[in-house]
Amino acid sequence: MKMVSDDLPTKLGIATYIGTGNGRSIHNIAEHFGISIRTAYRFLDRLQAEGYPLTNEGRKNGKEKLWTMLDAHSDQYGNALPSSEFSQEECILLHYVMAELRKSEEILPSFKSVRNKLAMMLSQKTVAFPSLDYSKNISRKLFPIENISSISKIASKGTQRIVAQILEAINGQNRICMTYHVPNKTSALEVGELSPVFAFFFDGGMYLQTLLENGDLRTYAIERIECISIIRDSIAMKPDFDPCTLLTDPFGPFLGRRRIEAKVWIAFEQVQYVKERKWPDNVIISDNEDGSVIFEATTYAEWEFLNWILSMRTQAELLEPEWLREELSFILDRTAALYHTLM
């Protein structure tokens, strides 16, 4: 028997309805389509399972949460389809068609080729990372920024202009220079010869991943960029790492200089807190007989990882790697010195 949530016209109609306006409550959806609230939730679950970027975080009308779509013009199967050529309804239908075609292993190679050629024919867009596959157990708080419409509801006009320049540089594979405001500094920082790699929205903020001349990667908060200029006729460098590490790092898409193969002892008092968190596949949590656990993970987010350990105070100990253990010891010694008083 066919499930109600498989009703294609209603399902795509709900996606379109949510994707327009300033958001729709579950009661709006149920009333508009003449269905029960329970059935409306089933449709939303099915849409999310099929990869539509629906969210109800941070948007309310009174006490009711409002559902909206962060970006209906892109998907995880290749280059984003340009918004100027397709309406909201057309993008949603194309997303569904692409998702269905991708299910067939036999035609997958041909599908990917056609998908990317279609995007290239309709736009000059050439994103640095043309294919990003999201792991199902990763938080959906991270989304690539591929066009201005995806941030128009959350970004100021000034930020939108900066993002437009960033995307232009990424699409044209050009380098950039920028003036960047550093917290706790009186003057802005002039940064030049950067290769923009990836713009993304993460946990309430917008960020730009860049590649430096020496091959290091740096993350900049887009809201702190005061101005930006594209270096015409320049060729941006491309990183030699898998971009999916940005999406699957357990401590966020903020790459440090070194790969960290971490092992952490965590006391019994913190185990429930640690196990309740949604972790990617590269995290291993092994139980000890005394109720503590050994936490193992691969990350590039050095500061975010250290701050996480420090948040558990004496109920967590970094065991490996040794070089990071020494760095953490130095931080703790410096912190203790701040509070040291002579008797």
Side-chain angles (χ1 to χ4, degrees):
M1 182 177 178
K2 189 176 182 180
M3 294 179 62
V4 174
S5 55
D6 287 327
D7 177 15
L8 180 59
T10 303
K11 182 166 58 179
L12 298 184
I14 289 176
T16 303
Y17 183 61
I18 291 173
T20 57
N22 295 319
R24 313 288 184 177
S25 71
I26 194 67
H27 290 91
N28 292 151
I29 298 169
E31 182 179 354
H32 185 83
F33 290 93
I35 57 180
S36 68
I37 290 177
R38 185 176 181 181
T39 300
Y41 274 121
R42 287 178 180 172
F43 275 114
L44 294 177
D45 289 342
R46 183 55 61 90
L47 285 167
Q48 286 186 312
E50 292 177 359
Y52 288 90
L54 309 182
T55 181
N56 63 0
E57 294 184 8
R59 302 185 65 83
K60 287 186 178 181
N61 181 14
K63 293 184 178 180
E64 278 198 302
K65 288 187 176 182
L66 299 179
W67 286 87
T68 188
M69 189 176 300
L70 291 185
D71 185 1
H73 296 98
S74 65
D75 59 34
Q76 69 262 44
Y77 311 119
N79 296 326
L81 290 173
S83 60
S84 59
E85 284 81 8
F86 294 109
S87 67
Q88 182 88 351
E89 293 83 355
E90 289 168 340
C91 283
I92 288 170
L93 180 59
L94 281 169
H95 181 108
Y96 175 79
V97 171
M98 296 299 174
E100 289 298 307
L101 289 176
R102 194 174 187 269
K103 292 178 181 178
S104 173
E105 293 292 335
E106 291 77 12
I107 66 171
L108 186 57
S110 297
F111 155 71
K112 287 183 177 179
S113 175
V114 172
R115 175 67 176 82
N116 291 335
K117 286 180 180 178
L118 176 62
M120 290 297 294
M121 290 171 63
L122 293 171
S123 172
Q124 295 180 350
K125 182 177 178 118
T126 309
V127 296
F129 297 146
S131 180
L132 294 171
D133 291 318
Y134 301 91
S135 177
K136 293 180 180 179
N137 62 342
I138 300 301
S139 170
R140 294 181 61 84
K141 292 182 179 179
L142 188 149
F143 296 92
I145 300 174
E146 295 179 317
N147 53 58
I148 297 301
S149 65
S150 63
I151 62 168
S152 60
K153 298 177 183 178
I154 60 174
S156 66
K157 294 295 183 182
T159 299
Q160 289 183 50
R161 285 193 294 271
I162 294 292
V163 171
Q165 290 177 290
I166 290 171
L167 296 180
E168 181 183 352
I170 292 176
N171 297 339
Q173 299 186 31
N174 296 131
R175 298 185 187 187
I176 61 172
C177 295
M178 67 182 184
T179 303
Y180 187 76
H181 172 70
V182 181
N184 303 321
K185 298 286 186 180
T186 56
S187 59
L189 178 67
E190 299 294 332
V191 187
E193 295 295 315
L194 296 174
S195 296
V197 173
F198 184 55
F200 59 94
F201 176 88
F202 177 75
D203 205 14
M206 287 174 282
Y207 301 91
L208 171 64
Q209 196 76 42
T210 65
L211 189 63
L212 308 185
E213 287 286 343
N214 61 5
D216 284 348
L217 286 149
R218 290 290 183 273
T219 303
Y220 295 94
I222 291 176
E223 292 92 339
R224 294 178 185 163
I225 300 176
E226 296 183 357
C227 63
I228 192 169
S229 59
I230 301 174
I231 305 175
R232 305 294 177 180
D233 301 321
S234 65
I235 303 298
M237 298 186 296
K238 292 186 177 182
D240 57 358
F241 76 103
D242 183 354
C244 288
T245 57
L246 287 168
L247 304 176
T248 59
D249 193 300
F251 296 96
F254 306 105
L255 296 186
R257 288 173 293 178
R258 290 194 259 185
R259 177 187 174 99
I260 300 169
E261 299 288 350
K263 181 180 289 188
V264 183
W265 171 85
I266 298 172
F268 169 76
E269 291 81 0
Q270 294 289 339
V271 169
Q272 183 176 356
Y273 154 72
V274 171
K275 287 189 174 182
E276 284 178 348
R277 181 167 169 177
K278 185 181 291 186
W279 298 105
D281 293 335
N282 72 347
V283 170
I284 300 172
I285 301 176
S286 305
D287 295 321
N288 294 325
E289 291 183 0
D290 62 357
S292 64
V293 298
I294 298 296
F295 176 95
E296 297 177 83
T298 299
T299 181
Y300 287 85
E302 180 177 325
W303 283 108
E304 288 71 25
F305 173 57
L306 290 179
N307 287 336
W308 178 72
I309 294 176
L310 290 170
S311 71
M312 292 181 281
R313 301 181 184 179
T314 60
Q315 295 174 338
E317 179 186 358
L318 176 62
L319 304 176
E320 297 176 6
E322 184 61 31
W323 64 267
L324 190 58
R325 181 182 169 91
E326 292 175 0
E327 186 169 326
L328 182 57
S329 176
F330 175 75
I331 292 171
L332 292 171
D333 288 343
R334 289 288 300 273
T335 303
L338 292 175
Y339 295 93
H340 177 71
T341 56
L342 296 176
M343 299 300 292

